[in-house]
Structure formats: C-alpha cells, structure tokens
Amino acid sequence: MGNRKPLGPIGRLLARAPRHLYRLGLGGLLGQRFVMVEHTGRVSGRPRETVLEVVRRDESSIDVAAAWGSRSDWVRNEVADPSVRVSSRRLRSAPATAGILDIGVATAVLGEYAKAHPTAANALGRVLGLDFTDPAEVASAVPVVRFTLD
C-alpha cells in the first residue's frame, strides 16, 4: 500500500487553495486537469466541496484517483450518497453520479494517465510511495472514482 502519510498543515492549506478559486468563479484557471465536486457529508448531511485532479475525462464522465484511499472523507461521502455536482473549466455545478471503478478498469485508466502525464504520475507516486510504472499496483491501493454526468 505504500508509505502514505497525512498532509501537514501547510500541505492541507495548499491542497485547499483551489477550492477558493472555484468559489470565486475562477476555477477555470486550473484548466481541465481539476474538478470541484460538491457532495453531501455522510454524517452531518451538510454540503461539502473537494477539488480533485482529473486522471481521465470524456464527454460523459470524469475520473479521479482517490490518492489517500477509500477511507478519504470525500470517497466515503460519495459511497453513502453518489449524487454529486461537478465544476471544471466548461462545467458549472453539473449534476453527476459517483461510482468506484472496478480494479481492471482503474488499472487501465491509471496506465493511460501515467503515459499522458509521466512527470505528474512520478511525483504522485513518490508522495504516495507507489510505483506508477505498475498501474495494477497503484489501482490496488488507489481507488478511481468516476463521475458520470447526468
């Protein structure tokens, strides 16, 4: 599973910065590589927002990797209630349905991502303690969530 460590205070601050850009209507500046997902807290029932890096997209869906695993709050929230809204460069709070991909599809998606963005994949692999040259290893530790646009 690798030697993944939680983000420290500065890391959390940097990770949350893109959310503020989306709130200001400037999320498009981040391009197509990021998406903001609006979801519902599974315990609180309150609205939540998370900005994630896109690993694959097409006209009907957006895939993201849950780098910190299936125990991430946003993943657990979307398993509890898969009805979400997504925003990116061309989408503004579009309704979508979240679902975790099976390991075979996730392996293919992560393999394509590593080929298309080798520098980003290698950097992410170092942070997570995973080897992106083996997409099956990554897919076994990092769930891939697909947001299918409604």
Side-chain angles (χ1 to χ4, degrees):
M1 181 114 162
N3 58 358
R4 294 181 282 175
K5 297 177 185 169
L7 295 175
I10 293 174
R12 283 193 302 273
L13 179 67
L14 291 173
R16 291 179 180 145
R19 184 174 57 190
H20 298 295
L21 288 174
Y22 278 98
R23 285 181 177 168
L24 293 170
L26 300 173
L29 294 174
L30 298 173
Q32 294 285 26
R33 294 272 307 274
F34 292 91
V35 63
M36 184 172 78
V37 181
E38 302 166 56
H39 49 99
T40 303
R42 69 192 174 287
V43 175
S44 69
R46 295 174 56 189
R48 302 288 183 216
E49 300 169 332
T50 306
V51 177
L52 305 161
E53 183 182 4
V54 173
V55 295
R56 191 204 64 82
R57 74 168 51 233
D58 61 27
E59 294 299 317
S60 62
S61 65
I62 299 170
D63 296 343
V64 301
W68 304 110
S70 59
R71 304 235 352 114
S72 299
D73 282 334
W74 70 267
V75 174
R76 292 167 48 187
N77 289 344
E78 291 165 16
V79 167
D81 181 359
S83 296
V84 300
R85 299 187 88 68
V86 295
S87 298
S88 68
R89 176 175 259 169
R90 294 190 182 118
L91 297 171
R92 186 77 170 175
S93 199
T97 303
I100 297 176
L101 297 179
D102 70 57
I103 194 135
V105 177
T107 297
V109 167
L110 292 170
E112 290 173 21
Y113 172 76
K115 285 179 187 169
H117 306 286
T119 303
N122 288 332
L124 181 60
R126 280 192 303 278
V127 169
L128 300 177
L130 298 169
D131 181 4
F132 259 86
T133 62
D134 183 358
E137 174 194 340
V138 178
S140 68
V142 176
V144 176
V145 177
R146 175 165 290 165
F147 300 106
T148 303
L149 301 174
D150 295 344

